[in-house]
Amino acid sequence: MAKKIAKVLDAKKAEELQVIGIGDITVLADYFVICTANSTTQVKALADEVEFQMTALGLEPHHTEGYRSSQWVLLDYSSVVVHIFVREAREFYKLERLWADGEKVDLQDIVTE
């Protein structure tokens, strides 16, 4: 599921896409999918596309946050939590640093250059 979401985000031009396996270090989720958008409009578009594609697969988020401000949208699919940031918010929160003990998933076969 995390790789499917990463593929959806990549197709919509998300930047700095990362998937971090956190299942061995927390019960919050198995994976975090993290990406950067260039504007609040793109944040919403990325989140909407993830929701659309996952709904088509019969998967609905259990919780969403951030649609009003669109600086950071979170989509919680239980085992996978998606974080879509504008650049400034991503630099501020530095989730990759907070979850540095997690396993970075290789996205070479998914992400286009």
Side-chain angles (χ1 to χ4, degrees):
M1 178 189 230
K3 282 190 169 186
K4 169 66 176 164
I5 291 170
K7 192 169 191 168
V8 169
L9 291 167
D10 182 59
K12 285 291 186 182
K13 308 296 184 207
E15 296 181 358
E16 301 171 339
L17 187 59
Q18 287 192 7
V19 175
I20 303 172
I22 59 168
D24 291 338
I25 56 177
T26 185
V27 296
L28 293 175
D30 294 327
Y31 295 95
F32 277 171
V33 178
I34 306 168
C35 71
T36 302
N38 289 312
S39 66
T40 56
T41 303
Q42 189 184 20
V43 169
K44 287 180 182 181
L46 291 169
D48 288 346
E49 186 64 16
V50 169
E51 279 198 83
F52 176 78
Q53 295 291 333
M54 294 299 102
T55 297
L57 296 174
L59 302 168
E60 298 291 333
H62 297 282
H63 183 72
T64 61
E65 287 185 31
Y67 268 100
R68 288 184 194 196
S69 75
S70 297
Q71 298 290 309
W72 174 10
V73 171
L74 178 141
L75 303 169
D76 183 353
Y77 288 93
S78 291
S79 63
V80 177
V81 178
V82 182
H83 301 271
I84 305 169
F85 291 98
V86 292
R87 188 166 312 285
E88 296 80 21
R90 184 163 182 181
E91 290 171 2
F92 179 80
Y93 288 104
K94 299 179 182 170
L95 289 185
E96 298 88 343
R97 185 180 55 81
L98 291 173
W99 296 99
D101 291 340
E103 177 187 343
K104 289 190 177 158
V105 175
D106 182 9
L107 299 176
Q108 198 169 18
D109 60 331
I110 293 173
V111 176
T112 57
E113 294 298 322

